[in-house]
Amino acid sequence: RMASSTRRVPISPQRVDAPLTSSATFLVVSVNTSIPSAIQTVRSALASISDLSKNVAIRDLRAAFACTVGIGAGVWDTLMSGVPKPTELHPFRAVHGAKHTAPSTPGDLLFHIRSERRDLNFEFERQLLDALGDSVSVVDDTVGFRYFDVRDLLGFVDGTANPVGDDVSEAVLVASTPDSSGSGEVASAELGGSYVVVQKYVHDMRAWKSLPAETQEAIIGRTKWDNIELMDAEEGKQASHKTLATVQDADGNEYSILRDNMPFGAPGKGEFGTYFIGYSARLWVVEKMLTRMFIGEPEGMHDRLLDYSKAWTGCAFFVPSQRLLDGLGGD
Ligand code: HEM
């Protein structure tokens, strides 16, 4: 059963629902709060993102350029002075399974830059970092690319179960009515915003390639060639990735998230990765997916995908509405 409601979604979200493109840059930075002017510089840079985006997007309108900005729990109060911190926002919580760990790593701001053209993304990132100057330090800068028909480097089509159409805003944007997590009425500053979690995974390709395709398919929960969903394993048996990543609340409502994963890497360096990025109106949904994957369901039966994929980073952010972001330059 899908979570159904007629929640009214307010205006002016950032472009979290922008289409999956052939190129994306994931830029995570820390704010250098020891520099007195840093906060003001970051504020005006964030307020100018709309204009900066337009500068670059106009140079090829068919390239579907979009940039979304996420703000971490550690800088929210100083940066967003007066705007209450979103109810669920906290630093990414590491998940320690018996065998694998999802680490929590530093990062105050996330810029998810995407378009059909690597040069547009490059140019935008250059102008953005110019505007930010020494107010930030880059923590991670990963460039992802489209690999054939939206496959990850493990060879599987990635992103199929994403919500589409009207279901996108329900899944991704914080709306004004209470949700079934019981967290109550949400504060207005959150309206039209979205939680986002990123994790950088590196694959052990040699070990993965040594598995027969049928074993890989059982691990993912879909067929490799034609992307057909497999049946869930019986209760108590080893579940596939797609089963473990399916999350319900106590009433059996299912919650989807919006993933824009991208492959990244460099064969010459032996680096083969997946940059995971998941947008959700509810941070607990992504956290529950991670618990099911790393701890396992039942406990101890972790997601076998993790035996071939190591999480190197883990950060959580809130993507405020465009209006909140634009307003940051005001003081
Ligand atoms: C499904 C790959 C990590 C959440 C899938 C599918 C693939 C895949 C191939 C099946 C097709 C699809 O529906 O997209 C990967 C890889 C990962 C990764 C390569 C990293 C190494 C994660 C993480 C989460 C997640 C960390 C959540 C925290 C999901 C969800 C689905 C899914 C929600 C759809 C399940 C459904 O309703 O069918 N993933 N994934 N994935 N994944 Fe992942």
Side-chain angles (χ1 to χ4, degrees):
R1 203 149 62 85
M2 292 298 289
S4 67
S5 70
T6 50
R7 303 192 311 161
R8 202 170 51 83
V9 173
I11 48 162
S12 80
Q14 291 188 55
R15 304 275 322 280
V16 290
D17 64 337
L20 206 60
T21 49
S22 57
S23 182
T25 301
F26 304 93
L27 177 67
V28 174
V29 304
S30 288
V31 178
N32 296 328
T33 40
S34 56
I35 298 176
S37 59
I39 290 294
Q40 197 45 51
T41 307
V42 172
R43 270 201 203 123
S44 31
L46 295 190
S48 70
I49 292 267
S50 297
D51 288 337
L52 216 57
S53 297
K54 284 182 190 165
N55 286 352
V56 173
I58 192 75
R59 298 172 73 173
D60 182 356
L61 290 171
R62 281 170 309 182
F65 178 88
C67 172
T68 52
V69 184
I71 297 170
V75 283
W76 182 278
D77 289 333
T78 9
L79 205 58
M80 308 295 286
S81 54
V83 180
K85 186 149 71 186
T87 329
E88 286 189 80
L89 184 62
H90 51 242
F92 182 87
R93 289 179 183 147
V95 186
H96 299 278
K99 189 151 178 227
H100 302 293
T101 292
S104 172
T105 54
D108 290 330
L109 302 172
L110 167 74
F111 300 93
H112 180 197
I113 304 164
R114 44 189 156 160
S115 79
E116 292 301 322
R117 287 177 52 168
R118 169 70 186 125
D119 60 348
L120 288 190
N121 297 351
F122 180 97
E123 180 60 12
F124 177 86
E125 186 184 9
R126 191 183 70 74
Q127 294 187 17
L128 172 68
L129 285 172
D130 275 353
L132 288 166
D134 58 7
S135 67
V136 300
S137 299
V138 173
V139 176
D140 187 58
D141 185 359
T142 299
V143 174
F145 59 93
R146 158 89 51 83
Y147 186 58
F148 298 105
D149 37 348
V150 212
R151 287 177 192 265
D152 50 45
L153 296 182
L154 303 177
F156 283 79
V157 176
D158 195 345
T160 313
N162 268 341
V164 291
D166 289 347
D167 292 337
V168 176
S169 50
E170 205 309 299
V172 168
L173 301 181
V174 177
S176 57
T177 48
D179 68 26
S180 51
S181 73
S183 55
E185 197 77 19
V186 289
S188 64
E190 293 174 54
L191 295 184
S194 190
Y195 294 91
V196 64
V197 169
V198 295
Q199 283 182 300
K200 193 172 172 172
Y201 284 91
V202 170
H203 303 298
D204 180 348
M205 290 305 287
R206 190 188 295 248
W208 179 253
K209 288 206 158 145
S210 74
L211 300 175
E214 291 73 21
T215 309
Q216 297 179 347
E217 292 177 339
I219 289 173
I220 298 290
R222 284 186 177 265
T223 60
K224 196 168 182 178
W225 172 249
D226 49 10
N227 191 28
I228 290 171
E229 192 173 346
L230 302 177
M231 299 261 284
D232 289 334
E234 282 169 54
E235 203 144 323
K237 294 267 171 58
Q238 175 63 53
S240 66
H241 173 61
K242 72 114 205 221
T243 306
L244 291 169
T246 299
V247 157
Q248 299 182 340
D249 64 17
D251 301 326
N253 299 307
E254 203 173 299
Y255 292 93
S256 43
I257 64 172
L258 186 65
R259 290 165 291 132
D260 293 300
N261 296 1
M262 291 293 258
F264 69 89
K269 294 179 187 153
E271 182 186 65
F272 301 90
T274 297
Y275 200 95
F276 165 81
I277 178 165
Y279 289 97
S280 178
R282 309 154 186 92
L283 186 56
W284 68 265
V285 169
V286 187
E287 291 176 333
K288 191 163 175 187
M289 288 174 179
L290 289 169
T291 305
R292 289 169 58 89
M293 288 175 64
F294 282 81
I295 308 286
E297 182 57 51
E299 192 171 335
M301 286 198 186
H302 65 263
D303 192 329
R304 295 292 142 180
L305 179 59
L306 301 175
D307 295 341
Y308 308 90
S309 318
K310 185 175 166 56
W312 282 100
T313 70
C315 300
F317 306 90
F318 189 78
V319 178
S321 69
Q322 191 65 54
R323 207 171 30 184
L324 264 189
L325 211 58
D326 293 346
L328 284 179
D331 53 356

